[in-house]
Amino acid sequence: MTILSISTIRVTEPCRVNPRAKMAEAAVTAFAEKWDLKLPGFDAYNTVFAHLFPTTRLTNLVAVGIINCLLFYIDDEAVRARLHQTQTERPDETLTQVFRLGILPTAPTNLQLAFYELRQMIMEVLPEGELKWLNRLANSFDAYFSVTNRPDELLGPVERVDLDEYREWRGIDSGMWTCIDSVDFTLNLYLPPAILNDPLLSSMQRNVVEIVALMNDIFSYHREATLENYHYNLIGILMAKHHYPLETAFNEAVNLVNYLIQEFYCAETRLPDWRGHNDGVRQYIMGLKYQIATAWHWQLSFTKRYHSANSPFAELRN
């Protein structure tokens, strides 16, 4: 087997971890156990949120940790069902209705109860008048639930997948838009919609979503292709679509991620002057950079989720 190096991915942001990480991880663990959401591998992903949001206070950190727990649970439960050919509860709009409105159905499931408790926790610390932010996060949940774990249905056979469509789907399926929409909450900084929706800042948000989602495709390739027989992965698609060997597909995937990273930093140099909001925008962009840093440092050094003795990537070999 050819041994490849993921160090060709050019991430320059330093690693940061929230000093409240251990307390938050314990709280999220208790939440997962309470609602029976603690799957095998839980400990391997219950540390990521403290890297994604290294400066937020404890209450907000626990809330985004619970969001992380819920999305990983939904994703990993679907993978378990696929591997064992069993049925599982598909997430649907009822979860976001519970989250958006705070109203439970007559006989709620554990997932619905978990989303209800998450809403209550957020409402306790959300500034008055910021319900529009909660609705934006609910919209991200809706988008995630509508596409996750449905690539064959939405994209077609892996060898005929349109790469632009895949990138759009993967950005949503990764759950990264919920991370982007959590940055405001973790900074307790709610920029005006005119700034958040500015075309240049929007392009930077999209860059981050794709950088993290596609970098995860690279890190998780061996786990997905070899252990889970799942080929809706950037490397797997390039191999199937173009009949590339692994090394060629890997190099093309890395080149795409590096291009997106470069595009993000070039866009930062062209930001306009938002009078009265420039400090807030700088904090927000730093929040976006934490996402990029985490995609590299956490997957490489802080979790064994993607490590294997047989990985084709030297840095991920146990």
Side-chain angles (χ1 to χ4, degrees):
M1 175 190 290
T2 302
I3 307 300
L4 305 170
S5 174
I6 56 175
S7 294
T8 49
I9 300 173
R10 295 195 293 270
V11 173
T12 57
E13 292 296 331
C15 172
R16 292 194 65 181
V17 185
N18 196 299
R20 306 160 189 84
K22 293 302 179 185
M23 289 185 291
E25 288 163 16
V28 175
T29 299
F31 178 92
E33 291 172 344
K34 176 180 179 179
W35 299 117
D36 194 23
L37 304 177
K38 193 175 178 183
L39 293 177
F42 174 86
D43 292 337
Y45 59 73
N46 190 40
T47 58
V48 64
F49 64 93
H51 292 75
L52 290 167
F53 307 104
T55 63
T56 192
R57 59 187 178 180
L58 181 61
T59 50
N60 295 51
L61 185 62
V62 172
V64 293
I66 287 171
I67 293 171
N68 172 76
C69 164
L70 291 169
L71 298 194
F72 266 102
Y73 170 82
I74 289 167
D75 185 72
D76 280 10
E77 181 69 359
V79 170
R80 287 206 312 171
R82 184 172 66 244
L83 289 174
H84 299 291
Q85 298 182 333
T86 58
Q87 294 295 317
T88 188
E89 176 190 359
R90 272 198 60 82
D92 58 28
E93 67 278 0
T94 62
L95 291 179
T96 44
Q97 287 172 0
V98 168
F99 180 76
R100 199 187 300 271
L101 303 175
I103 300 174
L104 284 167
T106 304
T109 65
N110 275 8
L111 264 180
Q112 289 168 339
L113 289 165
F115 272 86
Y116 179 83
E117 184 172 333
L118 171 65
R119 175 195 163 88
Q120 300 304 104
M121 186 179 302
I122 288 174
M123 290 299 293
E124 288 179 6
V125 295
L126 191 67
E128 188 175 350
E130 293 300 341
L131 272 178
K132 58 183 180 295
W133 172 81
L134 186 139
N135 282 321
R136 177 153 54 90
L137 184 61
N139 291 341
S140 289
F141 285 143
D142 265 336
Y144 173 76
F145 298 152
S146 70
V147 307
T148 189
N149 287 293
R150 297 171 59 201
D152 49 347
E153 178 185 344
L154 297 173
L155 300 174
V158 66
E159 66 275 7
R160 294 205 294 272
V161 168
D162 179 271
L163 285 175
D164 288 336
E165 288 184 9
Y166 175 74
R167 287 167 60 179
E168 180 75 19
W169 172 85
R170 184 69 180 102
I172 302 172
D173 171 71
S174 67
M176 269 309 298
W177 282 111
T178 64
C179 286
I180 297 297
D181 287 335
S182 296
V183 170
D184 322 46
F185 174 73
T186 59
L187 295 174
N188 199 30
L189 171 72
Y190 301 90
L191 294 171
I195 294 179
L196 281 178
N197 298 328
D198 176 84
L200 195 56
L201 195 55
S202 294
S203 74
M204 294 177 71
Q205 295 167 353
R206 185 170 295 278
N207 281 146
V208 172
V209 166
E210 288 201 48
I211 290 164
V212 176
L214 299 180
M215 202 188 305
N216 178 253
D217 273 10
I218 296 170
F219 273 87
S220 65
Y221 168 73
H222 177 72
R223 172 190 172 106
E224 293 185 341
T226 304
L227 304 180
E228 299 172 0
N229 196 31
Y230 179 83
H231 299 283
Y232 289 92
N233 169 293
L234 180 60
I235 293 175
I237 289 170
L238 290 170
M239 292 174 71
K241 190 176 180 68
H242 301 294
H243 305 290
Y244 286 161
L246 172 60
E247 184 172 4
T248 302
F250 166 75
N251 288 334
E252 190 161 318
V254 168
N255 288 340
L256 175 56
V257 170
N258 284 338
Y259 171 79
L260 292 167
I261 292 171
Q262 181 182 28
E263 197 172 55
F264 173 86
Y265 286 102
C266 286
E268 185 182 15
T269 66
R270 305 197 310 273
L271 289 171
D273 181 4
W274 281 298
R275 296 182 184 278
H277 292 288
N278 287 333
D279 286 344
V281 170
R282 278 192 286 271
Q283 291 180 59
Y284 180 81
I285 290 173
M286 193 67 244
L288 297 181
K289 290 178 180 179
Y290 293 145
Q291 315 295 304
I292 298 173
T294 297
W296 171 256
H297 294 288
W298 181 76
Q299 293 184 123
L300 180 66
S301 304
F302 291 92
T303 182
K304 295 299 182 183
R305 183 174 172 87
Y306 307 114
H307 288 237
S308 168
N310 298 315
S311 174
F313 309 130
E315 298 87 347
L316 298 183
R317 291 197 152 202
N318 291 334

